């Protein structure tokens, strides 16, 4: 670099050598409040005219128009039973049946996972704290045990039409209780 042009590093070093500190800089740059110079309120309250509130721009509400309006599918005073599903008038019967099927499938998945949660915990603990043999085999025996339980629960819940059309809440609860008591190892022995 030439003598005429100084680098940023040279500037900072010179600034520090001259004895400037950050307290000096902050004291020079901070705004100061003087209560004696506060704006006076000499005008009467009766003479001031209230200013109208600004109205929101129409574009602010237009930006959220892609959201569907919310509605309560259950009228007040009525209870929702499993067989009486609210039908959205925007959906056709085919879309409604597909959404019901997918909802039933999701409920079966969640119930099967919930019923096998203790075996899933063993699998998780094996991955986390397993021996070196478990780590080498990637906890294969625990994985097999969990997936056998999960698939057995899922097949049973599908066979009894868990949360399907035409089943009541009492039947679903009874079927879920029966599924919780099932043991996949006993089913393998009977085959």
């Amino acid at each position: 670099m030439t003598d005429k042009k100084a680098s940023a590093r040279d500037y900072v070093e010179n600034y520090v050598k001259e004895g400037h500190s950050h307290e000096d800089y902050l004291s020079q740059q901070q705004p100061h409040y003087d209560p004696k110079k506060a704006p006076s309120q000499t005008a009467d309250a009766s003479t001031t005219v209230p200013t109208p509130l600004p109205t929101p721009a129409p574009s602010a509400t237009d930006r959220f128009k892609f959201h569907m309006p919310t509605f309560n599918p259950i009228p007040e005073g009525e209870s929702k039973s499993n067989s009486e599903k609210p039908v959205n008038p925007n959906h056709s019967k085919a879309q409604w049946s597909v959404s019901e099927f997918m909802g039933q499938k999701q409920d079966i998945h969640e119930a099967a996972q919930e019923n096998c949660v203790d075996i899933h915990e063993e699998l998780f603990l094996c991955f986390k704290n397993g021996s070196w043999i478990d780590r080498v085999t990637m906890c294969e025996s625990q994985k097999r045990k969990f997936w056998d339980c999960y698939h057995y629960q899922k097949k049973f819940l599908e066979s009894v039409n868990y949360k399907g059309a035409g089943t009541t809440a009492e039947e679903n609860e009874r079927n879920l209780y029966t599924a919780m008591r099932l043991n996949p190892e006993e089913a393998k022995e009977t085959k």
Side-chain angles (χ1 to χ4, degrees):
M1 295 201 120
T2 64
D3 292 335
K4 293 180 183 178
K5 293 183 178 180
S7 68
R9 180 180 295 275
D10 294 335
Y11 175 76
V12 170
E13 288 175 357
N14 289 335
Y15 187 80
V16 172
K17 285 179 186 175
E18 291 174 4
H20 298 293
S21 67
H22 64 281
E23 287 89 14
D24 295 337
Y25 175 77
L26 290 176
S27 66
Q28 292 171 359
Q29 298 299 323
Q30 292 291 328
H32 297 286
Y33 175 73
D34 188 9
K36 295 175 184 173
K37 294 183 180 177
S40 62
Q41 298 179 354
T42 57
D44 291 337
S46 61
T47 60
T48 59
V49 177
T51 59
L53 295 173
T55 58
S59 63
T61 57
D62 292 341
R63 123 176 62 148
F64 299 109
K65 283 197 175 190
F66 60 89
H67 291 292
M68 295 289 292
T70 57
F71 65 94
N72 186 2
I74 305 171
E76 291 184 19
E78 290 184 21
S79 64
K80 179 182 176 185
S81 68
N82 200 13
S83 61
E84 298 174 8
K85 302 285 185 185
V87 178
N88 189 344
N90 297 334
H91 294 296
S92 68
K93 290 192 183 240
Q95 288 174 330
W96 180 77
S97 62
V98 168
S99 66
E100 284 296 308
F101 174 75
M102 296 305 290
Q104 179 189 14
K105 197 172 180 181
Q106 182 67 27
D107 290 338
I108 289 173
H109 167 75
E110 289 171 0
Q113 273 193 330
E114 186 176 309
N115 289 346
C116 298
V117 73
D118 53 341
I119 301 170
H120 191 259
E121 181 183 18
E122 289 174 14
L123 174 62
F124 178 75
L125 290 175
C126 176
F127 279 127
K128 188 175 179 186
N129 303 323
S131 66
W132 69 273
I133 293 176
D134 288 336
R135 291 180 188 196
V136 168
T137 60
M138 295 192 61
C139 303
E140 188 61 36
S141 62
Q142 288 87 348
K143 274 196 288 189
R144 188 177 304 120
K145 190 176 177 184
F146 169 72
W147 286 113
D148 287 346
C149 175
Y150 173 77
H151 289 298
Y152 189 69
Q153 291 285 325
K154 190 174 169 184
K155 284 180 184 177
F156 175 78
L157 292 170
E158 286 173 350
S159 68
V160 295
N161 196 23
Y162 176 72
K163 293 226 178 164
T167 58
T168 62
E170 293 83 23
E171 289 174 343
N172 288 331
E173 193 171 324
R174 187 175 55 244
N175 289 335
L176 187 60
Y177 179 72
T178 305
M180 280 191 269
R181 295 179 52 207
L182 293 176
N183 190 354
E185 283 87 22
E186 293 173 1
K188 284 182 181 178
E189 292 172 7
T190 58
K191 285 185 180 180

